[in-house]
Amino acid sequence: MTQCCFLRVYLFFWFRSFHHRMALGLCPQVLCSLGGWLSLYISFCRLNKHRSYEWNCRLVTFTHGVLSIGLSAYIGFVDGPWPFTHPGSPNTPLQVHVLCLTLGYFIFDLGCIWRFAWKKSIKKYHAWRSRRREERQLKRHGHLKTR
C-alpha cells in the first residue's frame, strides 16, 4: 500500500472514531468566537473611521495577542495544571475555551489575509514579472521597444 493510500485509510478511521458530540459542541464555540472577533473589528472600524480597514484588523490582532498571552499565563501559572509537572494531562474546560477563542481568531485572521494581503501580493508579482520582461528585452535588443 502506498503512503498516500495508507494516510487516507488512517484519516478515514480517525474521523470515524472521533467523538461527534464533542465536535458538535466545539463548533458553536468557535463560531461564537469568530462572531466576537468580527464584531470587535466592526466596532473598531466605526470608532476609527479615519483609519484604514487594515489598521483596524491589526488592532484586533493586537487585542488577540494581549488576551491570549494573559489567558495563557493565567492557565499556566494560576489555574493549572502546571505544564512541567503534568505534561500531557487532559485539557481543562478553560483551556478548551481558550482554544476555541484562538481558533475563531485564526479563521478571522485568515479572512483578513485573504482580503488585504492577497491583492498586494498579486500586484507585487505582476510588477516583478513586468520588470523581468523589460530586462529580457533590454538584454536581447539593447533597447526597449515602444509600441
Side-chain angles (χ1 to χ4, degrees):
M1 209 192 280
T2 65
Q3 287 180 337
C4 184
C5 291
F6 176 74
L7 183 63
R8 285 182 187 165
V9 170
Y10 175 76
L11 287 175
F12 172 75
F13 285 112
W14 184 81
F15 281 120
R16 191 168 182 187
S17 65
F18 189 74
H19 301 284
H20 294 288
R21 284 183 286 158
M22 183 187 297
L24 290 176
L26 294 179
C27 287
Q29 288 181 8
V30 172
L31 289 175
C32 287
S33 170
L34 176 62
W37 293 115
L38 283 172
S39 64
L40 183 66
Y41 172 72
I42 291 169
S43 63
F44 278 150
C45 287
R46 288 184 180 166
L47 287 174
N48 304 312
K49 292 180 182 178
H50 61 285
R51 300 284 187 173
S52 69
Y53 293 118
E54 187 176 1
W55 190 85
N56 292 315
C57 186
R58 291 180 184 192
L59 251 180
V60 174
T61 300
F62 176 75
T63 306
H64 170 260
V66 169
L67 188 65
S68 64
I69 287 172
L71 286 172
S72 297
Y74 176 77
I75 289 171
F77 295 119
V78 178
D79 192 47
W82 182 248
F84 298 116
T85 58
H86 297 86
S89 60
N91 291 333
T92 64
L94 181 60
Q95 288 172 335
V96 172
H97 290 309
V98 171
L99 175 75
C100 291
L101 183 77
T102 304
L103 186 57
Y105 170 75
F106 175 74
I107 296 169
F108 168 80
D109 193 43
L110 215 58
C112 284
I113 289 171
W114 182 75
R115 171 73 173 95
F116 298 117
W118 180 257
K119 291 180 182 178
K120 290 180 184 176
S121 63
I122 294 296
K123 288 178 185 176
K124 287 178 186 176
Y125 173 74
H126 284 297
W128 177 78
R129 289 295 297 166
S130 66
R131 279 195 306 266
R132 292 284 298 153
R133 190 178 319 118
E134 289 172 359
E135 288 173 4
R136 272 189 265 135
Q137 287 178 351
L138 278 173
K139 285 180 183 177
R140 243 185 252 151
H141 307 294
H143 65 283
L144 284 175
K145 278 184 172 178
T146 55
R147 294 180 185 187

